[in-house]
């Protein structure tokens, strides 16, 4: 039987550590990867940005995930017997439903040139991984592709170009690393109409085959858990694909972490889970509420028909609040055309408290991994 994926996105971990972040389990300081592996983690998800630096060579922040940073984390995971998912953003910084900005080096290209650039870049990265003996166990071609990629050409509703670009990435994976499974990942996991429309259009335009549908599910933005269940159950049958909740998280507190960031208010992003959002969900923003949420989401995934629910990746469980590790620098905001500010907006949704102590939700994750028959080895390694 294919292994259950107990995954964590640890893309900012090196930056957090450089900025002084420390992690503890039962009072003992340890490597965050070792702690998370002990709680069942068998894969890490690592994003890749093409050129996440400003004109002076300074990092845009948020982990600074260029190829060197991403492979350093991947190698560290491999040494611990942990596999990894390579998440191509095809951008120099964040790519999500609100922004899909071509890399600086690709700006000004037409559709044909972008198609070639996606293929060449994907192949070159995987060739580099192969030379370093660190091929991933899974590849996501694009990140949260809900509204397309490489705007403006690949923006919904232009599925002809969207499929051209995605196909180029998938072909590069299949031809460079045959047998490597590919994920296509959308956000808004509770929106069944969105998933039906997107994947129907994708296949109608001749989209290449792939292995996994990835879904993001954040209870503050993406509907009720019952909506997620209905969507996953439907698309599992409709498309015959295995499903992975590629991003998920839940808060453990609503206490501010300003004293940890040590930033003036004007430079703080503030927590994404604003009070008015937290009040609308069915779980308390407490350590117990986080644990309860994880128990329910893991059951939901395992109950997808025909065993199609294959696991999850918790998003940034180790992004604790430390001075210097934020969502974006001023130059990064300028690249994205956003006002900012930077700072950490995710710390209250980590699986460690603000001081780096492992939280009770990890016990739920470990117990579930054990009950799912996971022996702690890595899928595909």
């Amino acid at each position: 039987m294919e292994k259950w994926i107990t995954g964590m996105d640890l893309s900012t971990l090196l930056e957090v550590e450089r900025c002084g972040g420390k992690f503890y389990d039962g009072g003992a300081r340890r490597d965050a990867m070792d702690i998370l592996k002990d709680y069942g983690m068998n894969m890490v998800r690592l994003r890749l940005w093409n050129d996440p630096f400003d004109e002076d060579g300074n990092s845009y922040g948020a982990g600074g995930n260029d190829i060197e940073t991403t492979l350093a984390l991947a190698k560290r995971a491999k040494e611990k017997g942990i596999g990894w998912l390579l998440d191509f953003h095809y951008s120099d910084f964040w790519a999500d439903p609100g922004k899909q900005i071509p890399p600086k080096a690709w700006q000004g290209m037409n559709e044909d040139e972008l198609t070639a650039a996606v293929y060449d870049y994907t192949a070159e990265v995987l060739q580099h991984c192969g030379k370093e003996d660190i091929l991933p166990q899974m590849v996501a071609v694009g990140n949260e592709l809900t509204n397309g990629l490489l705007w403006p050409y690949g923006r919904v509703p232009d599925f002809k170009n969207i499929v051209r670009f995605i196909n180029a990435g998938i072909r590069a994976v299949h031809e460079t690393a045959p047998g490597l499974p590919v994920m296509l990942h959308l956000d808004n996991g509770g929106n069944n109409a969105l998933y039906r429309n997107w994947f129907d259009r994708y296949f109608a335009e001749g989209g290449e085959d792939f292995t996994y549908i990835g879904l993001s599910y954040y209870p503050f933005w993406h509907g009720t858990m019952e909506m997620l269940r209905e969507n996953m159950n439907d698309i599992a049958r409709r498309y015959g694909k295995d499903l992975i909740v590629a991003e998920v998280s839940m808060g453990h507190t609503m206490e501010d972490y300003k004293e940890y960031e040590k930033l003036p208010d004007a430079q703080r992003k503030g927590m994404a889970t604003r009070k008015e959002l937290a009040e609308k969900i069915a779980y308390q923003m407490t350590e117990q509420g986080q644990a309860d949420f994880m128990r329910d989401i893991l059951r939901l995934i395992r109950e997808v028909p025909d065993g199609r629910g294959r696991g999850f990746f918790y998003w940034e469980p180790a992004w604790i609040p430390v001075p210097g590790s934020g969502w974006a620098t001023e130059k990064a905001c300028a690249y994205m055309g956003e006002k900012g500010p930077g700072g950490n907006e995710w710390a209250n949704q980590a699986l460690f408290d603000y001081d780096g102590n492992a939280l009770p939700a990890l016990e739920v994750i470990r117990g579930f991994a054990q009950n799912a028959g996971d022996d702690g080895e890595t899928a595909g390694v």
Side-chain angles (χ1 to χ4, degrees):
M1 178 181 175
E2 186 180 357
K3 279 192 173 294
W4 170 261
I5 293 170
T6 301
M8 306 281 171
D9 192 312
L10 296 178
S11 299
T12 62
L13 181 58
L14 289 180
E15 179 180 282
V16 168
E17 291 171 339
R18 283 197 305 269
C19 293
K22 300 176 178 64
F23 299 90
Y24 304 86
D25 185 26
R29 182 182 170 188
R30 300 175 60 208
D31 183 325
M33 279 195 190
D34 288 333
I35 295 173
L36 292 169
K37 182 183 179 184
D38 282 355
Y39 283 102
M41 178 178 74
N42 59 12
M43 286 193 78
V44 296
R45 176 178 182 255
L46 302 173
R47 58 181 169 264
L48 177 62
W49 293 321
N50 290 40
D51 179 26
F53 303 98
D54 64 27
E55 64 272 18
D56 297 319
N58 298 312
S59 171
Y60 281 158
N65 295 98
D66 62 350
I67 186 66
E68 288 77 16
T69 299
T70 296
L71 290 192
L73 285 162
K75 289 175 182 177
R76 183 163 145 190
K78 182 180 179 180
E79 289 170 359
K80 300 176 186 299
I82 301 164
W84 72 294
L85 160 63
L86 172 57
D87 178 22
F88 283 97
H89 279 226
Y90 300 120
S91 181
D92 289 339
F93 207 45
W94 297 113
D96 56 45
K99 50 190 170 293
Q100 294 279 341
I101 304 164
K104 295 183 287 288
W106 299 3
Q107 290 178 9
M109 290 184 175
N110 62 29
E111 296 99 313
D112 291 340
E113 292 167 333
L114 286 169
T115 302
V118 169
Y119 182 96
D120 291 344
Y121 176 72
T122 305
E124 287 166 6
V125 167
L126 289 173
Q127 288 165 0
H128 185 69
C129 291
K131 290 176 183 175
E132 298 283 328
D133 193 27
I134 192 63
L135 275 173
Q137 280 65 58
M138 189 187 305
V139 169
V141 172
N143 187 73
E144 291 192 327
L145 296 165
T146 311
N147 290 321
L149 71 167
L150 298 173
W151 293 353
Y153 293 112
R155 188 167 190 167
V156 168
D158 192 343
F159 271 86
K160 181 178 180 180
N161 278 335
I162 291 170
V163 170
R164 283 184 70 187
F165 299 154
I166 293 172
N167 280 355
I170 293 176
R171 284 197 295 269
V173 175
H174 289 166
E175 292 170 10
T176 308
L180 191 59
V182 170
M183 173 194 289
L184 296 186
H185 168 208
L186 311 185
D187 84 321
N188 208 349
N191 188 336
N192 181 239
L194 163 69
Y195 278 73
R196 278 185 166 229
N197 178 68
W198 199 98
F199 283 102
D200 282 358
R201 295 286 302 277
Y202 174 82
F203 287 116
E205 289 287 349
E208 294 274 350
D209 196 19
F210 59 95
T211 306
Y212 295 103
I213 292 177
L215 309 89
S216 293
Y217 179 70
Y218 298 109
F220 324 99
W221 304 308
H222 296 159
T224 66
M225 201 172 287
E226 189 56 34
M227 292 167 66
L228 175 67
R229 181 190 305 277
E230 291 172 0
N231 183 36
M232 292 184 74
N233 290 356
D234 177 64
I235 63 176
R237 295 189 179 104
R238 187 176 182 88
Y239 303 112
K241 298 294 182 187
D242 286 348
L243 310 181
I244 296 172
V245 177
E247 293 184 25
V248 64
S249 74
M250 171 64 191
H252 62 83
T253 183
M254 287 298 289
E255 288 188 18
D256 194 16
Y257 43 88
K258 178 178 179 178
E259 64 182 273
Y260 291 86
E261 283 195 285
K262 302 188 187 307
L263 285 173
D265 289 343
Q267 295 179 28
R268 297 187 69 228
K269 181 77 170 177
M271 60 182 67
T273 51
R274 301 186 306 276
K275 182 180 178 182
E276 58 268 29
L277 292 175
E279 289 174 348
K280 293 179 180 179
I281 64 174
Y283 298 85
Q284 295 294 312
M285 296 281 283
T286 62
E287 293 181 9
Q288 186 59 51
Q290 184 185 56
D292 292 342
F293 171 84
M294 288 308 300
R295 181 175 293 108
D296 290 347
I297 198 89
L298 297 183
R299 287 174 177 165
L300 184 157
I301 297 168
R302 287 294 286 186
E303 290 169 359
V304 172
D306 304 319
R308 290 290 189 184
R310 296 307 316 147
F312 73 100
F313 289 90
Y314 196 97
W315 201 76
E316 292 285 7
W319 201 351
I320 60 175
V322 289
S325 179
W327 167 81
T329 65
E330 284 188 28
K331 292 291 182 69
C333 290
Y335 165 75
M336 294 183 294
E338 297 191 7
K339 292 181 179 179
N344 185 325
E345 62 175 343
W346 216 257
N348 71 319
Q349 297 186 68
L351 292 175
F352 297 87
D353 69 17
Y354 297 160
D355 294 307
N357 298 296
L359 290 169
L362 285 167
E363 288 285 5
V364 172
I365 291 168
R366 174 162 59 191
F368 198 90
Q370 291 171 343
N371 290 335
D374 191 328
D375 59 9
E377 294 182 2
T378 302
V381 173

